[in-house]
Amino acid sequence: QVQLVESGGGLVQAGGSLRLECAASGRTFSIDLMGWFRQAPGKEREFVAAISWSTGSTSYADSMKGRFTISRDSVKNTVYLQMNSLKPEDTAVYYCASRPMAVADYKYWGQGTQVTVSS
Protein backbone atom coordinates (compact mmCIF):
# COMPACT_ATOMS: atom_id res chain seq x y z
CA GLN A 1 0.00 0.00 0.00
CA VAL A 2 0.87 3.66 -0.35
CA GLN A 3 -0.05 6.23 2.25
CA LEU A 4 -0.54 9.83 1.21
CA VAL A 5 -0.70 12.87 3.46
CA GLU A 6 -1.53 16.31 2.09
CA SER A 7 -0.66 19.62 3.68
CA GLY A 8 -0.40 23.27 2.79
CA GLY A 9 -4.02 24.21 2.40
CA GLY A 10 -5.52 27.30 3.97
CA LEU A 11 -7.25 30.60 3.42
CA VAL A 12 -5.87 33.00 0.83
CA GLN A 13 -7.15 36.09 -0.93
CA ALA A 14 -7.93 36.07 -4.62
CA GLY A 15 -4.76 36.54 -6.63
CA GLY A 16 -2.65 34.90 -3.97
CA SER A 17 -0.65 31.69 -4.00
CA LEU A 18 -0.44 28.45 -2.07
CA ARG A 19 1.77 25.40 -2.32
CA LEU A 20 0.28 22.04 -1.47
CA GLU A 21 2.43 19.10 -0.52
CA CYS A 22 1.69 15.39 -0.65
CA ALA A 23 4.03 13.08 1.23
CA ALA A 24 3.99 9.46 0.11
CA SER A 25 5.09 6.50 2.20
CA GLY A 26 4.88 2.73 2.05
CA ARG A 27 5.35 0.99 -1.31
CA THR A 28 6.44 4.14 -3.11
CA PHE A 29 8.53 2.08 -5.53
CA SER A 30 5.24 0.88 -7.03
CA ILE A 31 4.02 4.37 -7.95
CA ASP A 32 3.58 5.13 -11.63
CA LEU A 33 1.61 8.35 -11.55
CA MET A 34 0.77 10.95 -8.91
CA GLY A 35 -2.16 13.29 -9.30
CA TRP A 36 -4.02 16.15 -7.69
CA PHE A 37 -7.78 16.33 -7.73
CA ARG A 38 -10.23 18.71 -6.13
CA GLN A 39 -13.82 18.72 -5.05
CA ALA A 40 -15.85 21.83 -4.39
CA PRO A 41 -19.05 21.77 -2.33
CA GLY A 42 -21.92 20.35 -4.34
CA LYS A 43 -19.69 19.45 -7.27
CA GLU A 44 -18.03 16.32 -8.53
CA ARG A 45 -14.38 15.65 -8.01
CA GLU A 46 -12.27 16.96 -10.87
CA PHE A 47 -8.78 16.34 -12.15
CA VAL A 48 -6.25 19.09 -11.56
CA ALA A 49 -2.81 17.81 -12.59
CA ALA A 50 -0.65 14.69 -12.73
CA ILE A 51 3.02 13.82 -12.88
CA SER A 52 4.89 10.70 -13.87
CA TRP A 53 6.83 9.41 -10.91
CA SER A 54 9.67 8.14 -13.09
CA THR A 55 9.97 10.70 -15.87
CA GLY A 56 8.48 13.82 -14.33
CA SER A 57 6.27 14.46 -17.33
CA THR A 58 3.16 16.43 -16.42
CA SER A 59 -0.41 16.99 -17.50
CA TYR A 60 -2.97 19.57 -16.46
CA ALA A 61 -6.64 20.30 -16.68
CA ASP A 62 -7.14 23.10 -19.18
CA SER A 63 -8.47 25.53 -16.60
CA MET A 64 -5.34 25.15 -14.46
CA LYS A 65 -2.72 25.49 -17.17
CA GLY A 66 -0.48 28.47 -16.61
CA ARG A 67 -1.62 28.96 -13.00
CA PHE A 68 -0.83 25.62 -11.35
CA THR A 69 2.43 23.69 -11.46
CA ILE A 70 2.89 20.11 -10.30
CA SER A 71 6.33 18.84 -9.37
CA ARG A 72 7.89 16.03 -7.42
CA ASP A 73 10.90 15.28 -5.26
CA SER A 74 11.65 11.60 -5.68
CA VAL A 75 14.14 11.60 -2.82
CA LYS A 76 11.61 13.02 -0.38
CA ASN A 77 8.74 11.04 -1.95
CA THR A 78 6.76 14.25 -2.11
CA VAL A 79 4.60 15.83 -4.78
CA TYR A 80 3.85 19.53 -4.84
CA LEU A 81 1.15 21.67 -6.36
CA GLN A 82 2.09 25.31 -6.70
CA MET A 83 -1.05 27.36 -7.20
CA ASN A 84 -0.79 30.96 -8.35
CA SER A 85 -3.33 33.62 -9.26
CA LEU A 86 -5.93 31.85 -7.18
CA LYS A 87 -9.58 32.56 -7.78
CA PRO A 88 -12.61 32.08 -5.53
CA GLU A 89 -13.71 29.25 -7.82
CA ASP A 90 -10.55 27.37 -6.88
CA THR A 91 -12.02 26.87 -3.41
CA ALA A 92 -12.23 23.13 -2.81
CA VAL A 93 -10.81 20.21 -0.93
CA TYR A 94 -7.67 19.14 -2.77
CA TYR A 95 -6.73 15.48 -2.82
CA CYS A 96 -3.53 13.75 -3.71
CA ALA A 97 -3.73 10.33 -5.36
CA SER A 98 -1.35 7.70 -6.65
CA ARG A 99 -1.69 5.18 -9.42
CA PRO A 100 0.39 2.04 -9.18
CA MET A 101 2.21 0.56 -12.14
CA ALA A 102 0.09 -1.66 -14.40
CA VAL A 103 -3.10 -0.31 -12.86
CA ALA A 104 -5.60 1.76 -14.81
CA ASP A 105 -6.99 3.92 -12.03
CA TYR A 106 -5.76 5.90 -9.08
CA LYS A 107 -5.81 3.52 -6.15
CA TYR A 108 -4.56 5.41 -3.12
CA TRP A 109 -5.91 8.71 -1.88
CA GLY A 110 -4.99 11.18 0.80
CA GLN A 111 -7.40 12.69 3.27
CA GLY A 112 -7.54 16.03 1.48
CA THR A 113 -6.62 19.57 2.39
CA GLN A 114 -8.99 22.53 2.29
CA VAL A 115 -8.18 25.50 0.09
CA THR A 116 -10.38 28.57 0.49
CA VAL A 117 -9.93 31.60 -1.74
CA SER A 118 -11.70 34.74 -0.61
CA SER A 119 -12.79 37.47 -2.99
Side-chain angles (χ1 to χ4, degrees):
Q1 285 193 343
V2 174
Q3 293 79 42
L4 303 172
V5 178
E6 302 100 332
S7 62
L11 174 64
V12 64
Q13 288 189 333
S17 299
L18 280 176
R19 188 176 82 156
L20 305 183
E21 296 188 11
C22 173
S25 60
R27 298 173 60 89
T28 57
F29 59 86
S30 68
I31 296 174
D32 178 41
L33 197 67
M34 293 287 292
W36 285 98
F37 294 78
R38 69 184 187 184
Q39 187 167 19
K43 295 187 177 181
E44 294 187 354
R45 185 174 62 198
E46 65 174 338
F47 170 76
V48 174
I51 187 166
S52 167
W53 198 243
S54 58
T55 68
S57 63
T58 59
S59 62
Y60 296 90
D62 287 343
S63 60
M64 284 67 157
K65 286 180 182 178
R67 297 193 301 126
F68 292 6
T69 303
I70 189 171
S71 62
R72 75 186 186 335
D73 184 327
S74 299
V75 174
K76 294 182 178 180
N77 289 329
T78 299
V79 174
Y80 306 95
L81 185 68
Q82 178 67 43
M83 304 186 294
N84 299 327
S85 302
L86 284 163
K87 307 173 182 179
E89 51 263 43
D90 293 318
T91 295
V93 178
Y94 284 72
Y95 297 92
C96 173
S98 70
R99 190 184 79 183
M101 297 176 190
V103 174
D105 298 320
Y106 288 91
K107 184 174 182 179
Y108 301 106
W109 294 81
Q111 82 286 352
T113 185
Q114 176 71 47
V115 171
T116 303
V117 184
S118 63
S119 57

